[in-house]
Amino acid sequence: DTEVTQTPKHLVMGMTNKKSLKCEQHMGHRAMYWYKQKAKKPPELMFVYSYEKLSINESVPSRFSPECPNSSLLNLHLHALQPEDSALYLCASSQQDRGAEKLFFGSGTQLSVL
Amino acid sequence: GENVEQHPSTLSVQEGDSAVIKCTYSDSASNYFPWYKQELGKRPQLIIDIRSNVGEKKDQRIAVTLNKTAKHFSLHITETQPEDSAVYFCAASMGGGGNKLTFGTGTQLKVEL
């Protein structure tokens, strides 16, 4: 299995809602990432988990809360989002080893905040 | 932190022609340089990568060159086909998993029949 699976594929939420994005991989990767991508822009790193511990937080607002329950799962909890948070949210995973850091991206969750 | 610049932002070529996309990076500690292709509505997919101990790498119609001294790296696509039409992103990192990968701004490549 060389896939990173993300659910849901699409999500529409109001500014007062709480929702979660889910990501799963079974490649034995120990680094997992959340990226945000606006239309026609490059992916922007939000968070990195390394061995299930948060290792990088790119100064993301607290309305985004990541969670890594185990080595295969990564969640992104959303609360009180703003319309400008509408974007494609991409999960990715990789090995930890130097020389094996190829990122495998999921298909993303297209989020619309109304 | 690392800054990656990418040019051109759009590139239109005739089928069968070559396409070249160029990137520069700022952090001399970066040593891993992947290229991603993203078709409309799809995930970014790695097409080729190069490490700083190598000057050139080729995979069929795709090649990447790296000039570590000048902090430049380029993607070369030969014999372009319509299915090569996509957005291409270069990126740079210090290598190893769990590190930040900084992306360039992207190049929209259109291959015309």
Side-chain angles (χ1 to χ4, degrees):
Chain A
D1 185 357
T2 58
E3 287 246 333
V4 176
T5 303
Q6 287 188 244
T7 56
K9 293 194 184 306
H10 302 275
L11 179 62
V12 179
M13 60 187 291
M15 290 188 284
T16 57
N17 292 159
K18 285 185 181 180
K19 297 286 184 183
S20 296
L21 309 184
K22 297 185 182 302
C23 175
E24 188 169 4
Q25 57 87 14
H26 295 287
M27 295 179 277
H29 290 171
R30 302 307 295 274
M32 295 187 76
Y33 312 74
W34 280 115
Y35 281 86
K36 173 182 177 181
Q37 187 177 27
K38 290 277 202 180
K40 300 186 187 298
K41 298 289 187 183
E44 294 176 31
L45 183 66
M46 299 175 72
F47 303 103
V48 181
Y49 273 82
S50 183
Y51 294 102
E52 295 97 70
K53 293 193 188 309
L54 183 65
S55 59
I56 297 177
N57 176 341
E58 288 288 289
S59 302
V60 178
S62 59
R63 58 186 184 268
F64 295 91
S65 176
E67 178 195 20
C68 189
N70 60 54
S71 60
S72 299
L73 295 175
L74 186 66
N75 299 322
L76 186 63
H77 302 297
L78 314 173
H79 173 56
L81 294 193
Q82 304 297 310
E84 59 265 29
D85 297 322
S86 298
L88 180 67
Y89 288 83
L90 292 162
C91 174
S93 71
S94 75
Q95 306 234 29
Q96 280 286 156
D97 309 320
R98 191 169 294 276
E101 60 271 81
K102 174 182 174 179
L103 276 185
F104 290 77
F105 281 95
S107 297
T109 294
Q110 187 65 56
L111 174 67
S112 297
V113 182
L114 304 178
Chain B
E2 175 65 278
N3 181 47
V4 179
E5 295 189 359
Q6 183 171 347
H7 299 281
S9 57
T10 60
L11 179 58
S12 186
V13 300
Q14 294 293 314
E15 183 180 7
D17 287 351
S18 295
V20 180
I21 303 170
K22 299 183 179 183
C23 290
T24 60
Y25 62 100
S26 61
D27 191 343
S28 56
S30 290
N31 59 19
Y32 175 63
F33 307 94
W35 285 87
Y36 284 84
K37 175 183 179 183
Q38 189 174 25
E39 296 176 60
L40 190 62
K42 299 207 173 169
R43 73 188 82 188
Q45 292 201 298
L46 180 73
I47 56 171
I48 196 166
D49 56 11
I50 192 167
R51 298 175 201 286
S52 58
N53 58 348
V54 174
E56 184 173 359
K57 184 176 178 180
K58 191 173 180 181
D59 183 3
Q60 298 182 349
R61 296 186 298 108
I62 294 172
V64 57
T65 58
L66 171 65
N67 182 328
K68 220 176 132 182
T69 304
K71 296 182 193 165
H72 289 171
F73 58 114
S74 300
L75 178 71
H76 304 253
I77 305 174
T78 58
E79 300 171 24
T80 53
Q81 300 167 5
E83 51 265 37
D84 294 328
S85 296
V87 178
Y88 291 81
F89 293 102
C90 62
S93 84
M94 290 193 290
N99 278 319
K100 179 175 179 177
L101 189 63
T102 301
F103 285 86
T105 48
T107 296
Q108 174 72 63
L109 173 64
K110 184 177 180 182
V111 180
E112 297 176 335
L113 297 171

Coordinates of all heavy atoms in Angstrom, one line a residue, chain A residues 44-103:
Chain A
E44 N 1.8 25.1 1.5 CA 2.4 25.7 2.7 C 2.4 24.8 3.9 O 1.4 24.3 4.3 CB 1.7 27.0 3.1 CG 1.7 28.1 2.0 CD 0.9 29.3 2.5 OE1 0.8 29.5 3.8 OE2 0.3 30.0 1.7
L45 N 3.6 24.6 4.4 CA 3.7 23.7 5.6 C 2.9 24.3 6.8 O 3.1 25.4 7.1 CB 5.1 23.4 5.9 CG 5.4 22.4 7.1 CD1 4.9 21.0 6.7 CD2 6.8 22.4 7.4
M46 N 2.1 23.4 7.5 CA 1.5 23.8 8.7 C 2.1 23.1 9.9 O 2.6 23.8 10.8 CB 0.0 23.4 8.7 CG -0.8 24.1 7.5 SD -2.5 23.5 7.5 CE -3.2 24.3 8.9
F47 N 2.1 21.8 9.9 CA 2.6 21.0 11.0 C 3.4 19.8 10.5 O 3.1 19.2 9.4 CB 1.5 20.4 11.8 CG 0.5 21.5 12.4 CD1 -0.7 21.7 11.8 CD2 0.9 22.2 13.5 CE1 -1.6 22.6 12.3 CE2 0.0 23.2 14.0 CZ -1.2 23.4 13.4
V48 N 4.4 19.3 11.3 CA 5.1 18.1 11.1 C 5.1 17.3 12.4 O 5.4 17.8 13.4 CB 6.6 18.3 10.7 CG1 7.3 17.0 10.4 CG2 6.7 19.2 9.4
Y49 N 4.7 16.0 12.2 CA 4.9 15.1 13.3 C 6.0 14.1 13.0 O 6.0 13.5 11.9 CB 3.6 14.3 13.5 CG 2.6 15.0 14.4 CD1 1.8 16.0 14.0 CD2 2.5 14.7 15.8 CE1 0.9 16.6 14.8 CE2 1.7 15.3 16.7 CZ 0.8 16.3 16.1 OH 0.0 16.9 17.0
S50 N 6.8 13.9 14.0 CA 8.0 13.0 13.8 C 7.9 12.0 14.9 O 7.9 12.3 16.1 CB 9.3 13.7 13.8 OG 10.4 12.9 13.6
Y51 N 7.8 10.7 14.6 CA 7.6 9.6 15.6 C 6.4 10.0 16.6 O 6.6 10.0 17.8 CB 8.9 9.4 16.4 CG 10.0 8.8 15.5 CD1 11.0 9.6 15.0 CD2 9.9 7.4 15.2 CE1 12.0 9.0 14.2 CE2 10.9 6.9 14.4 CZ 12.0 7.7 13.9 OH 12.9 7.2 13.1
E52 N 5.3 10.4 16.0 CA 4.1 10.8 16.7 C 4.2 12.0 17.6 O 3.3 12.3 18.4 CB 3.6 9.6 17.6 CG 3.1 8.4 16.7 CD 4.2 7.3 16.6 OE1 4.5 6.7 17.7 OE2 4.8 7.2 15.6
K53 N 5.3 12.7 17.5 CA 5.4 13.9 18.3 C 5.5 15.2 17.4 O 6.1 15.1 16.3 CB 6.7 13.9 19.2 CG 6.6 12.8 20.3 CD 7.8 13.0 21.3 CE 7.9 11.9 22.3 NZ 6.6 11.6 22.9
L54 N 4.8 16.2 17.8 CA 4.8 17.5 17.0 C 6.2 18.0 17.0 O 6.8 18.4 18.1 CB 3.8 18.5 17.6 CG 3.6 19.8 16.8 CD1 3.1 19.5 15.4 CD2 2.7 20.7 17.6
S55 N 6.8 18.1 15.8 CA 8.2 18.6 15.7 C 8.3 20.0 15.1 O 9.2 20.8 15.3 CB 9.1 17.6 15.0 OG 8.6 17.4 13.7
I56 N 7.3 20.3 14.2 CA 7.3 21.7 13.6 C 5.9 22.2 13.6 O 4.9 21.5 13.2 CB 7.8 21.6 12.1 CG1 9.3 21.2 12.1 CG2 7.6 23.0 11.5 CD1 9.8 21.0 10.7
N57 N 5.7 23.4 14.1 CA 4.5 24.2 14.0 C 4.8 25.5 13.4 O 5.5 26.3 14.0 CB 3.9 24.3 15.4 CG 2.6 25.2 15.4 OD1 2.3 25.9 14.4 ND2 1.8 25.0 16.4
E58 N 4.3 25.7 12.1 CA 4.7 26.9 11.4 C 3.8 28.1 11.8 O 3.2 28.8 11.0 CB 4.6 26.7 9.9 CG 5.7 25.7 9.4 CD 7.0 26.4 9.3 OE1 7.2 27.3 8.5 OE2 7.9 26.1 10.2
S59 N 3.7 28.3 13.1 CA 3.0 29.5 13.7 C 1.5 29.5 13.1 O 1.0 30.5 12.7 CB 3.7 30.8 13.3 OG 5.0 30.8 13.8
V60 N 0.9 28.3 13.2 CA -0.4 28.2 12.7 C -1.4 28.6 13.8 O -1.2 28.3 15.0 CB -0.7 26.7 12.3 CG1 -2.1 26.5 11.9 CG2 0.3 26.2 11.2
P61 N -2.5 29.4 13.4 CA -3.4 29.8 14.5 C -4.0 28.6 15.2 O -4.2 27.5 14.7 CB -4.5 30.5 13.6 CG -3.8 30.9 12.4 CD -2.8 29.9 12.1
S62 N -4.4 28.9 16.5 CA -4.8 27.8 17.4 C -6.2 27.2 17.0 O -6.6 26.2 17.5 CB -4.9 28.3 18.8 OG -5.8 29.4 18.9
R63 N -6.9 27.9 16.0 CA -8.1 27.3 15.5 C -7.9 26.0 14.7 O -8.8 25.3 14.4 CB -8.9 28.3 14.7 CG -8.2 28.9 13.5 CD -9.1 30.0 12.9 NE -8.5 30.5 11.7 CZ -7.7 31.6 11.7 NH1 -7.4 32.2 12.8 NH2 -7.2 32.0 10.5
F64 N -6.6 25.7 14.4 CA -6.2 24.5 13.8 C -5.4 23.7 14.8 O -4.4 24.2 15.4 CB -5.3 24.7 12.6 CG -5.9 25.4 11.4 CD1 -5.8 26.8 11.3 CD2 -6.5 24.7 10.4 CE1 -6.4 27.5 10.3 CE2 -7.1 25.3 9.4 CZ -7.1 26.7 9.3
S65 N -5.9 22.5 15.1 CA -5.3 21.7 16.2 C -4.9 20.3 15.6 O -5.8 19.5 15.4 CB -6.2 21.6 17.4 OG -5.7 20.7 18.4
P66 N -3.7 20.0 15.5 CA -3.3 18.7 15.0 C -3.3 17.6 16.1 O -3.1 17.9 17.3 CB -1.9 18.9 14.4 CG -1.3 19.9 15.3 CD -2.5 20.8 15.8
E67 N -3.4 16.4 15.6 CA -3.3 15.3 16.6 C -2.8 14.1 15.8 O -3.1 13.8 14.7 CB -4.7 14.9 17.1 CG -4.8 13.8 18.1 CD -6.2 13.2 18.3 OE1 -7.1 13.5 17.4 OE2 -6.4 12.5 19.3
C68 N -1.9 13.3 16.5 CA -1.3 12.1 15.9 C -1.6 10.9 16.8 O -0.7 10.7 17.7 CB 0.2 12.3 15.6 SG 0.9 10.9 14.6
P69 N -2.7 10.3 16.7 CA -3.1 9.2 17.7 C -2.1 8.0 17.7 O -1.9 7.4 18.7 CB -4.5 8.8 17.3 CG -5.0 9.9 16.4 CD -3.8 10.5 15.7
N70 N -1.6 7.7 16.5 CA -0.6 6.6 16.4 C 0.2 6.8 15.1 O 0.0 7.8 14.4 CB -1.3 5.2 16.4 CG -2.3 5.0 15.3 OD1 -2.0 5.2 14.1 ND2 -3.5 4.7 15.6
S71 N 1.1 5.9 14.8 CA 2.0 6.1 13.7 C 1.4 6.1 12.3 O 2.0 6.5 11.4 CB 3.1 5.1 13.8 OG 2.6 3.8 13.6
S72 N 0.1 5.6 12.2 CA -0.6 5.6 10.9 C -1.6 6.7 10.7 O -2.0 6.8 9.6 CB -1.3 4.2 10.8 OG -0.4 3.2 10.9
L73 N -2.0 7.4 11.8 CA -3.1 8.3 11.7 C -2.6 9.7 12.0 O -1.8 9.9 12.9 CB -4.2 7.9 12.7 CG -4.9 6.6 12.4 CD1 -5.9 6.2 13.5 CD2 -5.6 6.6 11.0
L74 N -3.3 10.7 11.3 CA -3.0 12.1 11.6 C -4.4 12.8 11.4 O -5.1 12.6 10.4 CB -2.0 12.6 10.6 CG -1.5 14.1 10.8 CD1 -0.7 14.2 12.1 CD2 -0.7 14.5 9.7
N75 N -4.7 13.6 12.4 CA -6.0 14.4 12.4 C -5.7 15.8 12.4 O -4.6 16.3 12.9 CB -6.9 14.0 13.6 CG -7.3 12.5 13.6 OD1 -7.5 11.9 12.6 ND2 -7.3 12.0 14.8
L76 N -6.6 16.6 11.8 CA -6.5 18.1 12.0 C -7.9 18.5 12.4 O -8.9 18.4 11.7 CB -6.1 18.7 10.7 CG -5.9 20.2 10.7 CD1 -4.7 20.6 11.6 CD2 -5.6 20.8 9.3
H77 N -8.0 19.0 13.7 CA -9.2 19.5 14.2 C -9.4 21.0 13.9 O -8.5 21.8 14.1 CB -9.2 19.2 15.7 CG -9.0 17.8 16.1 ND1 -9.9 16.8 15.7 CD2 -8.0 17.2 16.8 CE1 -9.5 15.6 16.2 NE2 -8.3 15.8 16.8
L78 N -10.6 21.3 13.5 CA -10.9 22.6 13.0 C -12.0 23.3 13.9 O -13.0 22.6 14.2 CB -11.4 22.6 11.6 CG -10.6 21.7 10.6 CD1 -11.3 21.7 9.3 CD2 -9.2 22.3 10.5
H79 N -11.8 24.5 14.3 CA -12.8 25.1 15.2 C -12.7 26.6 15.0 O -11.7 27.2 15.0 CB -12.5 24.8 16.7 CG -13.4 25.6 17.6 ND1 -14.8 25.5 17.5 CD2 -13.1 26.4 18.6 CE1 -15.3 26.3 18.5 NE2 -14.2 26.8 19.2
A80 N -13.9 27.2 14.8 CA -14.0 28.7 14.6 C -13.2 29.2 13.5 O -12.4 30.2 13.6 CB -13.7 29.4 15.9
L81 N -13.3 28.5 12.3 CA -12.5 28.9 11.2 C -13.0 30.2 10.5 O -14.2 30.5 10.8 CB -12.4 27.8 10.1 CG -11.7 26.5 10.6 CD1 -11.4 25.7 9.3 CD2 -10.4 26.8 11.3
Q82 N -12.2 30.8 9.8 CA -12.5 32.0 9.0 C -12.7 31.7 7.5 O -12.1 30.7 7.1 CB -11.5 33.1 9.2 CG -11.2 33.4 10.7 CD -12.4 34.0 11.4 OE1 -13.0 35.0 10.8 NE2 -12.8 33.5 12.5
P83 N -13.4 32.5 6.8 CA -13.5 32.2 5.3 C -12.2 32.2 4.6 O -12.0 31.4 3.7 CB -14.4 33.4 4.9 CG -15.2 33.8 6.0 CD -14.3 33.6 7.2
E84 N -11.2 32.9 5.1 CA -9.9 32.9 4.5 C -9.1 31.5 4.7 O -8.1 31.3 4.1 CB -9.0 34.0 4.9 CG -8.7 34.1 6.4 CD -9.7 35.0 7.1 OE1 -10.9 35.2 6.7 OE2 -9.3 35.6 8.2
D85 N -9.7 30.7 5.6 CA -9.1 29.4 5.8 C -9.6 28.4 4.7 O -9.1 27.2 4.7 CB -9.5 28.8 7.2 CG -8.9 29.7 8.3 OD1 -7.8 30.2 8.2 OD2 -9.7 29.9 9.3
S86 N -10.5 28.8 3.9 CA -10.9 27.9 2.8 C -9.7 27.6 1.9 O -9.0 28.5 1.4 CB -12.0 28.6 1.9 OG -13.1 28.9 2.7
A87 N -9.4 26.3 1.6 CA -8.3 25.9 0.9 C -8.3 24.4 0.7 O -9.2 23.7 1.2 CB -7.0 26.3 1.6
L88 N -7.3 23.9 0.0 CA -7.1 22.4 -0.1 C -6.1 22.0 1.0 O -5.0 22.6 1.1 CB -6.5 22.1 -1.4 CG -6.2 20.6 -1.7 CD1 -7.5 19.8 -1.7 CD2 -5.4 20.4 -3.0
Y89 N -6.5 21.1 1.9 CA -5.6 20.7 3.0 C -5.1 19.3 2.6 O -5.8 18.3 2.4 CB -6.4 20.7 4.3 CG -6.6 22.1 4.8 CD1 -7.7 22.8 4.3 CD2 -5.7 22.7 5.7 CE1 -7.9 24.1 4.7 CE2 -5.9 24.0 6.1 CZ -7.0 24.7 5.6 OH -7.2 26.0 5.9
L90 N -3.7 19.3 2.5 CA -3.0 18.1 2.1 C -2.3 17.5 3.2 O -1.6 18.1 4.0 CB -2.0 18.5 1.0 CG -2.6 18.9 -0.4 CD1 -1.5 19.6 -1.1 CD2 -3.1 17.7 -1.1
C91 N -2.4 16.2 3.4 CA -1.7 15.4 4.3 C -0.5 14.7 3.5 O -0.7 14.4 2.3 CB -2.5 14.3 5.0 SG -1.7 13.2 6.0
A92 N 0.6 14.5 4.1 CA 1.7 13.8 3.5 C 2.4 13.0 4.5 O 2.3 13.2 5.7 CB 2.7 14.8 2.8
S93 N 3.2 12.0 4.0 CA 4.0 11.2 4.9 C 5.3 10.9 4.3 O 5.5 11.0 3.0 CB 3.3 9.9 5.3 OG 3.2 9.0 4.2
S94 N 6.3 10.6 5.1 CA 7.6 10.2 4.5 C 8.4 9.3 5.6 O 8.0 9.3 6.7 CB 8.5 11.4 4.2 OG 9.0 12.0 5.4
Q95 N 9.4 8.7 5.1 CA 10.3 8.0 6.0 C 11.1 9.1 6.7 O 11.1 10.3 6.3 CB 11.3 7.1 5.2 CG 10.5 6.1 4.3 CD 10.9 4.7 4.6 OE1 11.3 4.4 5.7 NE2 10.9 3.9 3.5
Q96 N 11.8 8.7 7.8 CA 12.6 9.7 8.6 C 14.0 9.7 8.1 O 14.7 10.7 8.3 CB 12.6 9.3 10.0 CG 11.4 9.7 10.8 CD 11.3 11.2 11.1 OE1 10.3 11.7 11.3 NE2 12.5 11.8 11.1
D97 N 14.4 8.7 7.3 CA 15.8 8.5 7.0 C 16.3 9.5 5.9 O 15.6 9.7 5.0 CB 16.1 7.1 6.6 CG 15.6 6.1 7.5 OD1 15.7 6.3 8.7 OD2 15.0 5.1 7.1
R98 N 17.5 10.0 6.1 CA 18.1 10.8 5.0 C 18.3 9.9 3.8 O 18.7 8.7 4.0 CB 19.5 11.3 5.5 CG 20.0 12.4 4.6 CD 21.2 13.0 5.3 NE 20.8 13.8 6.4 CZ 20.4 15.1 6.4 NH1 20.3 15.7 5.2 NH2 20.1 15.7 7.5
G99 N 17.9 10.4 2.7 CA 18.0 9.6 1.5 C 16.7 8.8 1.2 O 16.5 8.2 0.1
A100 N 15.7 8.9 2.1 CA 14.4 8.3 1.9 C 13.3 9.2 2.3 O 12.3 8.8 2.8 CB 14.3 7.0 2.7
E101 N 13.5 10.5 2.0 CA 12.5 11.5 2.5 C 11.5 11.9 1.5 O 10.8 12.9 1.6 CB 13.3 12.8 2.9 CG 14.1 13.5 1.8 CD 15.5 12.9 1.8 OE1 15.7 11.8 1.1 OE2 16.4 13.6 2.3
K102 N 11.3 11.1 0.5 CA 10.2 11.4 -0.5 C 8.9 11.5 0.2 O 8.5 10.7 1.0 CB 10.2 10.2 -1.5 CG 9.0 10.3 -2.5 CD 9.0 9.1 -3.5 CE 7.8 9.2 -4.4 NZ 7.7 8.0 -5.3
L103 N 8.2 12.6 -0.2 CA 6.9 12.9 0.4 C 5.8 12.2 -0.5 O 5.8 12.4 -1.7 CB 6.6 14.4 0.4 CG 7.1 15.3 1.5 CD1 6.6 16.7 1.3 CD2 6.7 14.8 2.9

